[in-house]
Amino acid sequence: MLTEAAIREQIPRLRRYARALSGDREAADDLVQDTLERALSRSALLRPGGDPRPWLFAIMHNLFVNDMRSAAVRKRVALDPEAMDGATRDSTQDGLAMRDIDRALALLPGEQREVVLLVGLEQLGYAETAKVIGVPIGTVMSRLARGREKLRALLNDDGVATPLKVIK
Amino acid sequence: MSVAPVSEERLHAYVDEQLAAEERSAVERHLAEHPEDAERVLAYRRQREWIKQAFDPVLAEPVPARIRVPRAGMSGSPWRRVAAVCAWIVFGAALGWLIRDQQHAVVPAAASDTELVRRARMAHVVYTAESRRAVEVAASQEQDMIRWLSKRMNAAVRVPDLSQFGFEALGGRLLPGADGPACQIMYQNAAGKRLTIYLAREPGGARPVRFSDRETVHVVFWSNGTLAFAVSAELNRDELARIAAEVAISSPAPS
């Protein structure tokens, strides 16, 4: 049986993923809180002894997709390449050394960003990622490839935004 | 000497260290001969590093007080209880308006199972157990499904958007009802839990919302004067009530 303690243990990782996904501290923590509330009302679904992470990420994915649809929470969704000049975001927010990687992530479509982060940051396997977001593994691979190629086009070797490619 | 070509997938699996030793050396041989691919692999590895550097510090942050783990089950905090009550009030108000009958109590009591509930629950149990043939018409053909079911039911059938609760429509099917056609619309959430809305024609007076918890599949049911509704799922009463409220609001009674 999944205990509250087991879920609480996952909060830092959920926050990390949500922060990378949304790029905004407040929106990320709201997403984490909503995920926890849904998770606790459904904890009986989890098999005993199962790893709660993919399941929690799946709940968060669903909420994230809903948010993107309603376009209420997502500042990032509306960002266009011109926003890369940094006017809309403080690159040192929360004291984190945010490089341009953060802003480049914001320019990926949500579905590519999710895959790049689940695989690269959360280090889920491809099959696990496919399960979390509910798509075939081939779709995961093509989103990963497109997302990484786009990041490569946006950033130079030092992780600095490449102005010529960014400012159209 | 040429080396067997390495697929795009392999390159990413190499970046993500998801290859066995043997496959890894095959990719490395390929990279030695294809500098442009080697450059991409290097770029992807750097991206992973930058992403980790940017966001790993979040792991070390103290969890802010606004993030709280609610207690399992319902009503972790007074706020949640208030929210649950509000959901019922909204539901009650919506139905009160729909049925235009202030006499009815809108606070649901555990009711004895009616024919409608028995049929709805049976249809829920039988068809949610199906993995491939759960529905007759998939939600991808939603407009067709709505037209078809509305025609057979001789009433406007809606497919409410329940995505705010994490449920997406899978599709629907036509069923035999107690006296005439009935239908079922099935939903599923990310965790694989399924929910069904069962509809049957029930002309005559509207009936207030009631709740049946006799079995593990809970049912919230009511009638708007033309159609009887039964929303079934293995969810607790409050969650089911919020969903039923959405269903009621999106399926108004005919004027």
Side-chain angles (χ1 to χ4, degrees):
Chain A
M1 183 57 203
L2 184 71
T3 61
E4 287 174 40
I7 289 187
R8 183 169 293 118
E9 223 169 74
Q10 299 300 330
I11 291 177
R13 304 185 79 151
L14 288 172
R15 289 186 75 230
R16 173 178 68 175
Y17 175 59
R19 183 84 59 90
L21 197 59
S22 75
D24 177 272
R25 191 188 174 119
E26 296 279 306
D29 283 346
D30 284 349
L31 193 55
V32 172
Q33 182 62 37
D34 290 349
T35 301
L36 293 174
E37 278 172 20
R38 285 217 179 168
L40 264 293
S41 63
R42 293 173 195 182
S43 58
L45 284 171
L46 196 76
R47 275 169 303 182
D51 175 6
R53 283 214 306 146
W55 174 71
L56 289 168
F57 283 132
I59 293 175
M60 186 175 277
H61 158 75
N62 249 34
L63 291 164
F64 175 69
V65 168
N66 289 346
D67 284 349
M68 285 210 301
R69 274 199 202 125
S70 66
V73 182
R74 306 285 327 110
K75 272 190 254 173
R76 174 169 268 187
V77 175
L79 281 183
D80 59 38
E82 278 70 23
M84 281 291 274
D85 63 8
T88 55
R89 294 184 62 180
D90 176 359
S91 62
T92 60
Q93 81 179 58
D94 309 326
L96 295 187
M98 297 274 192
R99 290 212 240 177
D100 290 351
I101 180 72
D102 180 35
R103 278 180 269 162
L105 276 172
L107 296 176
L108 297 188
E111 57 181 37
Q112 291 174 18
R113 189 162 64 237
E114 276 189 310
V115 171
V116 166
L117 293 172
L118 286 172
V119 170
L121 183 62
E122 297 305 328
Q123 315 211 326
L124 297 189
Y126 301 145
E128 219 169 15
T129 302
K131 245 174 93 181
V132 164
I133 59 181
V135 299
I137 198 162
T139 308
V140 166
M141 297 314 296
S142 66
R143 287 179 186 176
L144 182 65
R146 276 181 283 141
R148 283 180 166 166
E149 236 353 80
K150 185 155 185 196
L151 287 180
R152 191 162 81 100
L154 289 168
L155 299 169
N156 71 11
D157 289 352
D158 298 317
V160 174
T162 46
L164 284 179
K165 288 176 186 166
V166 169
I167 299 165
K168 288 190 284 192
Chain B
M1 198 186 80
S2 77
V3 180
V6 167
S7 68
E8 184 72 19
E9 280 83 0
R10 276 290 158 85
L11 287 184
H12 286 279
Y14 179 75
V15 170
D16 295 315
E17 284 158 17
Q18 299 205 10
L19 292 179
E22 200 180 300
E23 298 172 299
R24 206 159 52 227
S25 39
V27 172
E28 276 159 6
R29 283 197 299 278
H30 167 88
L31 294 179
E33 294 190 5
H34 297 85
E36 71 291 347
D37 281 349
E39 198 181 305
R40 279 170 56 211
V41 163
L42 189 63
Y44 298 160
R45 284 230 158 119
R46 282 205 203 99
Q47 288 173 14
R48 274 175 58 114
E49 260 328 287
W50 295 329
I51 290 172
K52 286 188 77 61
Q53 279 172 18
F55 298 104
D56 277 354
V58 177
L59 293 177
E61 288 177 7
V63 175
R66 58 193 282 247
I67 293 186
R68 300 186 51 224
V69 179
R71 248 189 299 139
M74 70 144 293
S75 70
S77 66
W79 162 243
R80 273 173 70 74
R81 232 167 291 147
V82 168
V85 170
C86 285
W88 273 117
I89 291 171
V90 169
F91 189 14
L95 279 159
W97 177 78
L98 290 175
I99 65 184
R100 300 182 186 97
D101 184 349
Q102 305 306 319
Q103 306 286 77
H104 285 295
V106 288
V107 176
S112 61
D113 285 358
T114 63
E115 177 70 18
L116 173 81
V117 170
R118 273 196 299 277
R119 284 176 177 271
R121 184 179 274 134
M122 184 57 70
H124 178 92
V125 169
V126 168
Y127 292 113
T128 56
E130 293 284 333
S131 56
R132 283 165 181 247
R133 296 181 183 81
V135 297
E136 250 178 310
V137 183
S140 53
Q141 294 146 8
E142 186 171 304
Q143 290 313 314
D144 277 353
M145 177 172 84
I146 290 171
R147 258 199 307 277
W148 172 57
L149 291 178
S150 297
K151 192 170 169 210
R152 300 305 304 272
M153 300 287 295
N154 194 22
V157 171
R158 306 278 167 84
V159 179
D161 179 3
L162 302 181
S163 58
Q164 59 177 303
F165 307 101
F167 283 92
E168 300 294 338
L170 289 178
R173 63 166 62 243
L174 194 65
L175 295 166
D179 37 23
C183 68
Q184 180 191 60
I185 300 163
M186 194 181 298
Y187 294 76
Q188 182 170 301
N189 71 9
K193 174 160 284 199
R194 288 176 168 180
L195 172 147
T196 58
I197 302 173
Y198 181 91
L199 297 169
R201 276 192 68 81
E202 194 182 87
R207 285 191 292 116
V209 56
R210 291 193 295 170
F211 180 74
S212 163
D213 61 356
R214 287 159 66 94
E215 294 176 42
T216 52
V217 175
H218 292 172
V219 184
V220 170
F221 59 105
W222 69 95
S223 162
N224 70 9
T226 303
L227 287 174
F229 294 75
V231 180
S232 313
E234 288 181 43
L235 293 173
N236 70 39
R237 190 182 174 121
D238 299 294
E239 225 172 336
L240 202 55
R242 280 193 283 272
I243 294 172
E246 180 65 33
V247 173
I249 289 164
S250 55
S251 304
S255 49

